[in-house]
Every structure is written in C-alpha cells, then in structure tokens.
Amino acid sequence: VQFVESGGGLVQPGGSLRLSCAASGFTFSNYDMSWYRQTPGKERELVATIRIGGTGNYADSVKGRFTISRDNAKNMVYLQMNSLKPEDKAVYYCRTTIDWWNSWGQGTQVTVYT
C-alpha cells in the first residue's frame, strides 16, 4: 500500500494550490479517502474526507475554502485549496480514512507566507 502526495508549495495568503495523491496497492474505489495535515509539535489533524460515493466532509477550519475530489479510474484523490491562510501552513498527507495498513506517504509541504 502506497500514498504519494504532490502539489505543495509556497503561496501568498488568498492564493490557491491543488494537491494530488496517487494511491496504490489496494482497491481504491472501495475505500473512503482523507486528507490530513500536520504542523511541528501538533497532532495530525483530519482536513477532509471523501466517501466512496463522492460525498465530501470538511473540518470547520477549511469548510468553504477546500474541496476534496477523487478519480477512481486513476486511483487519485485531490484537494483544491482556495483562499489560503497562514494557518494552513502544514505538511499534507492523504490516506484511507480508516488506517487499515498503518501506512503514510511522505506528505507535501504547503507554506503560506506574507
């Protein structure tokens, strides 16, 4: 099982980024998928979840600004991040919503600077 995140970078407040995650080693379409983020010294937090059927759920801190989506044909999950704020700075990870395999990718760094 493998998760490979990409798309992070440097952006000014109010800017946008689109994160991508390539998943492999399992039947992707059968699993809910999530994006998480972590900053130094803090617990990893759940940002967004997309269910098998495509319904998205979001943390209050990103609701209305972030959109999660998936492409089952490509085994990909995406996170469109708009109106970015300095507090969105973190390493972002994707994974199945339930930790079936104790597997995390390397993450992708998002930095929002002034």
Side-chain angles (χ1 to χ4, degrees):
V1 172
Q2 192 174 19
F3 305 101
V4 180
E5 301 91 349
S6 62
L10 297 171
V11 63
Q12 291 184 326
S16 298
L17 284 172
R18 187 192 192 213
L19 306 184
S20 299
C21 171
S24 61
F26 62 102
T27 305
F28 179 81
S29 59
N30 288 352
Y31 292 85
D32 297 343
M33 295 294 298
S34 291
W35 282 96
Y36 301 81
R37 66 186 181 188
Q38 189 171 26
T39 54
K42 293 188 177 181
E43 294 285 324
R44 202 166 299 189
E45 67 168 330
L46 177 64
V47 175
T49 294
I50 186 164
R51 299 198 176 277
I52 295 170
T55 301
N57 292 285
Y58 302 90
D60 287 342
S61 59
V62 307
K63 201 171 293 183
R65 300 188 296 122
F66 290 11
T67 303
I68 189 171
S69 60
R70 67 190 296 161
D71 185 336
N72 289 339
K74 296 181 179 179
N75 289 5
M76 296 289 293
V77 60
Y78 305 98
L79 187 68
Q80 178 66 45
M81 306 187 297
N82 298 328
S83 302
L84 282 161
K85 302 176 180 180
E87 52 263 42
D88 295 319
K89 176 183 177 180
V91 179
Y92 285 73
Y93 303 86
C94 78
R95 201 199 63 190
T96 51
T97 302
I98 297 176
D99 186 14
W100 297 102
W101 302 284
N102 191 29
S103 177
W104 291 97
Q106 83 289 346
T108 187
Q109 176 73 52
V110 171
T111 301
V112 185
Y113 67 99
T114 55

